[in-house]
Amino acid sequence: MGYNARMDKEFFRVLKSRVNTYFKENKISKKGGAKMWGKAIVSIMVYTVPFVLLFTPLNSSIWFTIGMFALMGVGASLIGLGIMHDANHGSLSNKKWVNTFLGYSLNLLGGNSKIWKMQHNQLHHTHTNVEGMDPDIEGNAILRLNPDKEKRRIHKYQHIYGWGLYSLMTVSWITAHEFKLIKRFKETGLIANIREKRQVLSQLIVWKVLYWFIFLGLPMIFIAPWWAVLIGFFLMHAISGLFLSMVFQSAHVVPTSDYKSKEKEGVIQNNWFVHQLSNTTNFAMKSKWFTWLVGGLNYQIEHHLFPNISHIHYPELSKLVKQTAQEFAQPYNTEPTFWSAVRNHGKMLKMLGRC
């Protein structure tokens, strides 16, 4: 498909007008509002109640300990996908302080909301699938997530071992990853000066110490045996890390993604909005329960085009986006189920490992 700047700009002008008309005619807010409070309460409870139960007489076996940590992994995923994500995009509530407050729920999971917003909002959303700019496709020495990265012999098997690496994603976040990001952000100017760097670093250290002490230290002190706590803790992160990775990677690192729509030095050649369509895929759009479970992030196209609109509106907006994309001969990539999307991602891992 050729690059037509005028038509590409007209595409989003028409789409934006239709979306604004939708909210105006239905007299509804673009934010999540009251509908999000029940979800926030449920998500936080699935994470915190099992943790509290660990310290009660109900915890009479190692299987209970491990089981509660596993349930916390589900809760962490719910918070990360459905609450923290909207809040840190400013789309959960019309009130800034509510978004800020609930955005800090990420800190309860071992991450840092300030750093996440730099990495996700400013880099991933602005430079989706652009080598050297989008941290989500950087992978590591043994994981190749884009065709512009150097291919190594070991990558031939990444479609097999890659899932194990994904299960370590949140372990990486609660340990070294965010410290590395601070250094990168200072070098690229996202962190303006040494003073800001020290401020962000000190806050990060304080939150990390609190997280490790509360969610691992206290259980190891008061719950026996300590090794069951350790197994449970890492199982919790394996569950959330694998699930979160599958949701996000299955939307971008797939065969339909058009990596050719950018230059290697990070300059997007297409109109930004068309670039998002060309590098994003929806999945399981007919499943209401799955949409609730993943915070509407199975509608990644709508999320990337309108990140400041709450995910509760994505199912309706998808109709407008698809219609407009078809009218302007733009791609609108979808997969019928989550598992078909995951399989597609697996195919892309294999392709990137061998081509």
Side-chain angles (χ1 to χ4, degrees):
M1 184 182 301
Y3 172 42
N4 186 319
R6 185 184 66 81
M7 287 298 292
D8 287 351
K9 289 181 180 179
E10 181 68 7
F11 156 72
F12 193 69
R13 187 194 68 77
V14 171
L15 176 59
K16 188 175 182 180
S17 175
R18 288 174 176 175
V19 168
N20 288 334
T21 299
Y22 166 79
F23 285 102
K24 185 176 181 180
E25 289 183 348
N26 288 281
K27 298 180 181 180
I28 53 178
S29 169
K30 294 181 179 180
K31 308 303 181 182
K35 289 184 178 180
M36 290 296 296
W37 286 110
K39 186 171 188 176
I41 292 171
V42 170
S43 300
I44 293 172
M45 286 184 66
V46 175
Y47 184 67
T48 57
V49 170
F51 181 71
V52 172
L53 292 177
L54 288 171
F55 299 91
T56 69
L58 289 175
N59 189 2
S60 58
S61 71
I62 61 172
W63 297 113
F64 187 91
T65 298
I66 294 173
M68 288 301 98
F69 272 112
L71 191 55
M72 288 176 67
V74 176
S77 299
L78 290 175
I79 292 173
L81 293 169
I83 306 304
M84 177 282 294
H85 191 267
D86 268 31
N88 280 323
H89 271 295
S91 64
L92 190 147
S93 171
N94 284 312
K95 300 182 184 299
K96 185 177 179 180
W97 72 266
V98 173
N99 289 320
T100 300
F101 177 73
L102 288 178
Y104 274 107
S105 61
L106 176 61
N107 295 49
L108 294 177
L109 308 180
N112 184 279
S113 62
K114 184 178 181 67
I115 295 174
W116 187 89
K117 283 189 281 189
M118 293 181 189
Q119 179 265 325
H120 185 79
N121 295 5
Q122 294 179 253
L123 292 180
H124 170 65
H125 271 262
T126 304
H127 309 284
T128 309
N129 276 12
V130 176
E131 163 66 11
M133 298 296 290
D134 182 359
D136 284 12
I137 62 166
E138 287 183 356
N140 51 48
I142 59 174
L143 195 61
R144 185 174 187 246
L145 297 176
N146 74 87
D148 292 322
K149 185 174 181 178
E150 179 186 0
K151 183 164 66 71
R152 300 184 177 186
R153 198 175 281 181
I154 193 172
H155 293 147
K156 183 177 181 181
Y157 306 100
Q158 68 174 8
H159 62 288
I160 299 173
Y161 64 73
W163 312 102
L165 294 179
Y166 286 158
S167 69
L168 298 175
M169 184 194 76
T170 56
V171 174
S172 174
W173 272 89
I174 67 173
T175 52
H177 184 66
E178 289 179 318
F179 291 98
K180 293 178 181 178
L181 286 177
I182 288 178
K183 180 181 179 182
R184 173 177 176 172
F185 294 161
K186 176 61 177 65
E187 293 172 349
T188 57
L190 284 178
I191 292 178
N193 50 53
I194 293 295
R195 182 179 179 182
E196 184 181 1
K197 178 182 178 181
R198 289 173 179 171
Q199 183 182 37
V200 174
L201 183 60
S202 62
Q203 291 176 356
L204 179 64
I205 292 172
V206 170
W207 277 107
K208 294 293 184 194
V209 170
L210 283 173
Y211 174 78
W212 281 93
F213 174 71
I214 293 172
F215 291 100
L216 183 61
L218 288 179
M220 290 186 73
I221 292 171
F222 293 103
I223 300 171
W226 63 268
W227 53 265
V229 172
L230 201 60
I231 291 173
F233 181 81
F234 282 101
L235 176 61
M236 171 181 70
H237 279 283
I239 291 171
S240 60
L242 180 59
F243 188 57
L244 292 171
S245 295
M246 289 195 300
V247 169
F248 285 106
Q249 300 293 41
S250 296
H252 298 295
V253 185
V254 290
T256 53
S257 290
D258 181 18
Y259 291 93
K260 294 180 181 179
S261 64
K262 71 213 180 316
E263 296 178 353
K264 290 185 179 180
E265 61 267 27
V267 178
I268 295 177
Q269 295 174 330
N270 280 349
N271 174 279
W272 181 86
F273 306 104
V274 174
H275 177 83
Q276 298 303 320
L277 288 175
S278 300
N279 286 280
T280 310
T281 299
N282 286 357
F283 46 86
M285 297 169 65
K286 293 182 179 180
S287 177
K288 292 183 178 180
W289 76 267
F290 187 77
T291 298
W292 185 94
L293 181 69
V294 300
L297 292 177
N298 51 329
Y299 289 87
Q300 279 280 330
I301 294 174
E302 287 67 34
H303 172 60
H304 270 256
L305 294 178
F306 304 101
N308 295 322
I309 296 178
S310 174
H311 74 264
I312 67 172
H313 302 296
Y314 291 163
E316 288 301 316
L317 295 188
S318 68
K319 301 172 185 177
L320 299 176
V321 176
K322 183 177 181 179
Q323 174 191 344
T324 310
Q326 290 175 339
E327 290 175 6
F328 283 83
Q330 298 295 346
Y332 189 83
N333 302 310
T334 65
E335 282 294 322
T337 68
F338 176 51
W339 296 116
S340 66
V342 171
R343 285 195 299 271
N344 240 16
H345 175 60
K347 291 178 183 177
M348 190 62 177
L349 286 178
K350 189 172 184 179
M351 187 187 309
L352 289 170
R354 301 187 178 187
C355 299

